[in-house]
């Protein structure tokens, strides 16, 4: 037992080194990921569970390196730390505009395309200028573009956030709160900021079948959003039980593997065609 502590220290050190090594590799990889064409945009449909109609899609970033996908949960936090998120995020926004424009020119009537906007991006001084330029280049209907913000944004209770949010709203862009109820923020921001949509986190959806407390919390969020006139999307819907429960409490919009996984553009177009035939 006396040796155990020593052994653990010995075992722990190389692991820590491996972790650091991995982080360093990811950071270096991020320097060239865009120029090497390793970044792509996947689309995950959002559907109305009662009509089965596609009501929107979420754009999700993918990084494929030497044929292997690195999960966003690994590289996004690092990209946010290093600042790479600025270039990566702009690439996603640009791609989103291009896509919406192509959809509007073609016969694809996608009511909403959501893209994740990290706090650092929101506070980017040139964000509004950048978006204005994009609207000129790709004259899309602004109300079809939706930014997903996390509660971390709302936790910054400053005028700066409000100003920025009002600027986005002035452009006609819709805003949603991602993973609503999992962050550390007060509910007052729902009154202060013009939020269009709340997203029920996968963490809640996952628990609906086993846990009555999560049922209550989720039903309360749905009731509140509806009373405030906000739209809702439940995330991570995988089972019939979850779908039925969510519909019963008044949430019809779903995103999850039950309907479709995130997919590249060509697959998304095929999915869209099949759904609307
Ligand atoms: P998120 O914004 O909450 O995105 C939803 C995540 O849940 C996606 O993971 C999606 O693939 C996954 N998902 C959807 N339905 C299901 C389901 O039924 N079951 C399960 N198990 N998972 C489901 P993904 O693509 O790995 O992204 C993870 C996170 O990385 C995102 O969470 C988001 O926070 C971040 N992220 C992804 N793309 C971007 C981006 O372009 N910009 C920024 N800032 N963050 C991004
Ligand atoms: Ca999201
Ligand atoms: Ca989410």
């Amino acid at each position: 037992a006396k040796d155990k502590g020593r052994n653990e220290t010995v075992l722990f050190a190389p692991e820590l080194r491996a972790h650091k090594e991995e982080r360093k590799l990811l950071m270096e990889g991020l320097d060239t990921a865009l120029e090497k064409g390793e970044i792509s945009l996947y689309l995950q449909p959002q559907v109305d569970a009662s009509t089965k109609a596609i009501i929107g899609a979420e754009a999700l970033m993918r990084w494929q390196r030497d044929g292997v996908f690195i999960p966003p949960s690994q590289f996004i936090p690092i990209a946010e730390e290093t600042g790479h998120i600025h270039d990566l995020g702009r690439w996603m926004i640009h791609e989103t505009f291009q896509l919406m424009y192509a959809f509007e020119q073609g016969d694809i009537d996608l009511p909403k395309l959501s893209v994740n906007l990290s706090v650092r991006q929101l506070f980017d001084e040139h964000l509004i200028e950048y978006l204005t330029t994009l609207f000129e280049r790709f004259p899309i209907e602004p109300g079809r573009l939706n930014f997903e913000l996390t509660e971390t944004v709302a936790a910054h209770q400053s005028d700066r956030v409000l100003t920025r949010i009002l600027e986005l709203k002035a452009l006609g862009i819709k805003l949603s709160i991602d993973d609503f109820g999992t962050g550390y923020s007060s509910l007052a921001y729902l009154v202060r900021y013009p939020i269009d949509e709340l997203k029920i986190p996968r963490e809640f959806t996952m628990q609906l079948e086993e846990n009555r407390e999560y049922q209550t919390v989720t039903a309360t969020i749905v009731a509140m959003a509806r009373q405030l006139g906000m739209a809702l999307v439940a995330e991570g819907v995988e089972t019939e039980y979850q779908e039925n429960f969510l519909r019963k409490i008044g949430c019809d919009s779903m995103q999850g593997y039950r309907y479709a996984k995130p997919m590249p553009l060509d697959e998304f177009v095929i999915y869209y065609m099949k759904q609307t035939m």
Side-chain angles (χ1 to χ4, degrees), residues 111-145:
K112 178 182 72 184
L113 185 52
S114 285
V115 63
N116 295 285
L117 199 73
S118 76
V119 187
R120 282 191 75 157
Q121 282 180 277
L122 184 79
F123 287 143
D124 173 2
E125 274 179 63
H126 306 291
L127 177 67
I128 303 300
E129 188 188 307
Y130 181 62
L131 292 169
T132 307
T133 314
L134 284 175
F135 275 120
E136 279 162 14
R137 270 184 69 195
F138 306 102
I140 59 170
E141 217 178 277
R144 288 176 187 244
L145 182 62

Side-chain angles (χ1 to χ4, degrees), residues 72 85 148 204 208 244:
I85 196 67
E148 296 190 2
F204 292 4
L208 291 176
N244 287 338

Side-chain angles (χ1 to χ4, degrees), residues 43-264:
L43 292 164
Q44 186 176 30
Q46 297 172 339
V47 305
D48 182 316
S50 50
T51 65
K52 304 293 174 221
I54 301 177
I55 52 164
E58 178 174 1
L60 292 157
M61 205 190 301
R62 290 292 177 265
W63 181 14
Q64 194 174 10
R65 202 183 178 195
D66 305 325
V68 182
F69 282 102
I70 300 162
S73 58
Q74 262 179 43
F75 74 83
I76 297 277
I78 293 178
E80 281 175 350
E81 240 177 83
T82 58
H84 284 105
I85 196 67
H86 287 296
D87 284 344
L88 294 169
R90 277 195 178 207
W91 186 87
M92 285 293 286
I93 294 172
H94 179 266
E95 206 73 1
T96 300
F97 270 82
Q98 215 169 354
L99 267 180
M100 280 307 280
Y101 188 67
F103 286 166
E104 285 182 14
Q105 297 300 298
D107 262 339
I108 297 178
D109 176 29
L110 187 67
K112 178 182 72 184
L113 185 52
S114 285
V115 63
N116 295 285
L117 199 73
S118 76
V119 187
R120 282 191 75 157
Q121 282 180 277
L122 184 79
F123 287 143
D124 173 2
E125 274 179 63
H126 306 291
L127 177 67
I128 303 300
E129 188 188 307
Y130 181 62
L131 292 169
T132 307
T133 314
L134 284 175
F135 275 120
E136 279 162 14
R137 270 184 69 195
F138 306 102
I140 59 170
E141 217 178 277
R144 288 176 187 244
L145 182 62
N146 184 85
F147 283 148
E148 296 190 2
L149 309 169
T150 61
E151 284 174 308
T152 336
V153 168
H156 294 73
Q157 285 182 9
S158 62
D159 292 345
R160 214 163 133 227
V161 181
L162 182 61
T163 308
R164 186 41 57 89
I165 281 181
L166 292 176
E167 282 171 337
L168 290 174
K169 291 306 298 175
L171 289 174
I173 296 168
K174 295 258 164 58
L175 299 175
S176 47
I177 299 293
D178 208 354
D179 306 321
F180 178 78
T182 59
Y184 302 92
S185 60
S186 82
L187 288 176
Y189 75 87
L190 289 183
V191 179
R192 194 177 307 126
Y193 304 147
I195 304 295
D196 301 286
E197 177 186 89
L198 298 185
K199 294 193 82 180
I200 296 168
R202 186 169 78 87
E203 290 86 335
F204 292 4
T205 304
M206 264 170 59
Q207 300 288 341
L208 291 176
E209 199 151 353
E210 283 85 31
N211 191 316
R212 287 207 49 200
E213 277 91 359
Y214 275 104
Q215 292 190 357
T216 306
V217 169
T218 305
T220 305
I221 292 174
V222 171
M224 182 183 68
R226 290 179 63 116
Q227 293 213 32
L228 290 171
M230 293 175 184
L232 282 156
V233 175
E235 276 191 311
V237 182
E238 295 185 358
T239 69
E240 189 182 357
Y241 182 94
Q242 292 163 350
E243 180 186 294
N244 287 338
F245 181 83
L246 287 160
R247 286 181 63 186
K248 196 181 76 191
I249 60 171
C251 174
D252 280 319
S253 307
M254 318 276 174
Q255 182 181 341
Y257 292 174
R258 177 165 171 76
Y259 315 97
K261 289 195 173 179
M263 53 188 120

